[in-house]
Amino acid sequence: MASPRLETYCCPNRDAATEFAVSFQPGPFGALSLGSAAVSLIFAVLQVLPKRRGYRRLGQYPLPRPASSSRILFIISICDILGCTGIIVRSSVWLGVPSLIERVSVTNNTDVLPEAFCVGSAMWIQLFFSASFWWTFCYAVDVFLVVKTSAGISTIVLYHMITWGLAVLLCVEGVAMLYYPSISDCEQGLQHAIPHYITTYAPMLLVLIANPVFFSRTVSAVTSLLKGRQGIYTENERRLANEIKIRFFKIMLVFFVCWTPNIINECLLFYLEMQPDINDSSLRNIRNAALTTWFIMGILNPMQAFLNTLAFHGWTGLDVDLNPQRSRELAWDSGSTSVPNTMGQNPVVGTTLLYQSHIQEAQKNTMGNGQQHSDAISVLSEGSESSTVEIHISSELRGDVDADGESLENSERH
């Protein structure tokens, strides 16, 4: 799991609350973490891999580059997978070589391997899960900006700079302050450890607080744009708006379920740490609650990798296609040009606001004078017929877009 207590445990003179939590039943805890991370990793990778069936291309035009939001979701999955890999490695060593971990508690130990593994594995896990938090925040910002300002794929470079820069900076800064003046003789005191915990939980709290706001405003903007497209709010538009709401709700639900136990556990351990004797009988319920949430964290934190892919794309199946040439032809989760191949159903019915990239290109070609304005929406919605919805609306070319959309639908029927 990802907890700043694991970095603190690398200090031989760690605080009593950290010693209490990490040292309680390390074997069963490591086994639970290993099992959860392994299951999550396997199914997350299966979700990400291209599939042999289930998606087919619409129209005869070449595939565009995936929208920035689709790339962000893919990067989030990769970060989660790498974080799970770190948990698997660390838990395996803790279970297979317990003596290595026991040597971390030896003061003035000349063997640097135990401390190096402890710090390295903890930083690896924190870095990639922290990056996942920052990318989740950028996803909320991206879908909002795309709806409001038609931001394009070029913003992905800025997102890379922000997410990886902040993740590395906060991780290194927090660990450097925690292990000052040296890892074998960490400075004691709650005030010394607080900056490390702030750098760990800041991106998590940012997602918990800011993402619902961005998602709510995005849904409101999409609803208004759908209503203004033809002056009416049809059943198709209402269903599309509901699918978008459900997608955003799933993303936040997974995040709340997987990471809220960390915040609760940290509050309980901080409370115990401020007590003169954490073994006092009056604190029994607090200790039990802290241990319970500690084990829940060990199970739910690594499960984010798999649960996120379900929230992003739904269940994509097990029919993996490892043919490189075929994989290049299919855009991973590129719903602007692909819909599920459902037997006996019209692939356009359901999410009817699905247009080809050539429509957007045609609109761009007519905007040379700078007078015409086009709004592009790129939002993810989990539906029975599509996972990504691309809406391109032009106030000047709305009739052309509708005509192209109808011709696309008619071509599918024939």
Side-chain angles (χ1 to χ4, degrees):
M1 68 175 181
S3 172
R5 295 287 172 176
L6 295 173
E7 284 103 334
T8 307
Y9 185 79
C10 298
C11 296
N13 54 342
R14 64 188 73 94
D15 59 271
T18 301
E19 178 71 23
F20 165 73
V22 181
S23 300
F24 180 80
Q25 297 293 332
F29 177 80
L32 285 175
S33 298
L34 176 61
S36 177
V39 170
S40 181
L41 176 65
I42 293 172
F43 282 100
V45 171
L46 287 175
Q47 287 278 91
V48 170
L49 290 175
K51 301 304 185 293
R52 185 171 292 105
R53 294 185 299 272
Y55 288 90
R56 59 186 177 88
R57 196 178 303 173
L58 288 180
Q60 58 186 359
Y61 297 90
L63 288 172
R65 288 188 300 173
S68 57
S69 56
S70 297
R71 291 191 176 188
I72 291 173
L73 295 182
F74 179 76
I75 294 172
I76 292 174
S77 297
I78 295 300
C79 290
D80 291 338
I81 289 173
L82 291 174
C84 280
T85 303
I87 293 177
I88 291 174
V89 173
R90 186 190 63 198
S91 299
S92 299
V93 173
W94 280 38
L95 291 173
V97 193
S99 59
L100 181 69
I101 306 303
E102 292 174 358
R103 294 202 296 272
V104 174
S105 303
V106 178
T107 307
N108 297 325
N109 186 13
T110 57
D111 188 4
V112 298
L113 181 60
E115 294 176 347
F117 174 80
C118 183
V119 175
S121 60
M123 288 186 63
W124 175 280
I125 296 169
Q126 179 188 342
L127 174 63
F128 285 106
F129 277 117
S130 179
S132 176
F133 300 156
W134 287 114
W135 277 111
T136 304
F137 171 72
C138 286
Y139 171 75
V141 174
D142 182 75
V143 294
F144 176 74
L145 290 179
V146 168
V147 172
K148 302 296 289 186
T149 65
S150 300
I153 194 65
S154 59
T155 54
I156 198 72
V157 178
L158 178 61
Y159 295 148
H160 274 291
M161 296 172 61
I162 293 174
T163 54
W164 294 114
L166 288 175
V168 173
L169 176 64
L170 293 179
C171 181
V172 173
E173 180 184 3
V175 170
M177 297 181 68
L178 177 66
Y179 297 140
Y180 177 84
S182 67
I183 187 175
S184 60
D185 187 23
C186 302
E187 185 174 333
Q188 292 182 324
L190 186 61
Q191 295 179 349
H192 174 68
I194 284 179
H196 171 59
Y197 290 90
I198 292 177
T199 58
T200 301
Y201 285 104
M204 184 188 303
L205 294 174
L206 180 65
V207 173
L208 290 173
I209 297 173
N211 276 35
V213 177
F214 279 108
F215 286 156
S216 177
R217 297 191 63 181
T218 301
V219 170
S220 299
V222 169
T223 303
S224 299
L225 193 54
L226 289 174
K227 289 180 179 179
R229 177 175 175 266
Q230 293 180 341
I232 58 175
Y233 195 47
T234 66
E235 182 63 28
N236 286 332
E237 275 108 6
R238 184 177 293 106
R239 182 166 60 248
L240 174 60
N242 288 334
E243 289 174 355
I244 295 170
K245 291 179 184 179
I246 293 174
R247 167 56 58 88
F248 290 161
F249 173 77
K250 288 179 179 178
I251 293 174
M252 290 310 305
L253 177 63
V254 169
F255 199 90
F256 271 96
V257 169
C258 290
W259 298 106
T260 301
N262 292 56
I263 299 176
I264 298 174
N265 178 264
E266 204 58 60
C267 293
L268 294 173
L269 291 179
F270 263 121
Y271 179 79
L272 290 175
E273 194 171 341
M274 291 185 294
Q275 306 304 312
D277 183 14
I278 67 172
N279 294 317
D280 189 270
S281 59
S282 61
L283 301 174
R284 178 180 178 181
N285 292 335
I286 303 296
R287 292 195 301 270
N288 291 337
L291 293 176
T292 301
T293 53
W294 180 259
F295 274 77
I296 292 175
M297 290 163 54
I299 298 173
L300 291 181
N301 285 181
M303 285 302 298
Q304 176 185 255
F306 173 52
L307 295 179
N308 261 347
T309 61
L310 290 178
F312 296 158
H313 321 293
W315 176 247
T316 62
L318 301 176
D319 194 10
V320 177
D321 184 6
L322 299 179
N323 188 337
Q325 183 176 359
R326 183 182 178 90
S327 299
R328 285 194 299 268
E329 295 177 355
L330 296 176
W332 187 88
D333 195 36
S334 181
S336 61
T337 53
S338 63
V339 295
N341 185 10
T342 54
M343 297 301 296
Q345 297 182 4
N346 188 335
V348 182
V349 175
T351 309
T352 59
L353 300 177
L354 184 62
Y355 300 104
Q356 286 289 6
S357 62
H358 72 280
I359 301 176
Q360 184 185 19
E361 294 300 326
Q363 295 176 359
K364 291 180 180 179
N365 292 336
T366 63
M367 295 179 186
N369 57 8
Q371 299 297 324
Q372 296 171 323
H373 176 68
S374 175
D375 293 320
I377 303 174
S378 177
V379 287
L380 292 178
S381 67
E382 173 65 38
S384 59
E385 279 113 9
S386 71
S387 61
T388 304
V389 181
E390 292 278 355
I391 311 170
H392 303 289
I393 300 174
S394 172
S395 58
E396 296 293 330
L397 300 174
R398 183 173 298 164
D400 295 337
V401 173
D402 292 338
D404 286 336
E406 291 175 2
S407 64
L408 174 64
E409 182 175 352
N410 291 333
S411 66
E412 285 299 313
R413 291 176 178 176
H414 297 290

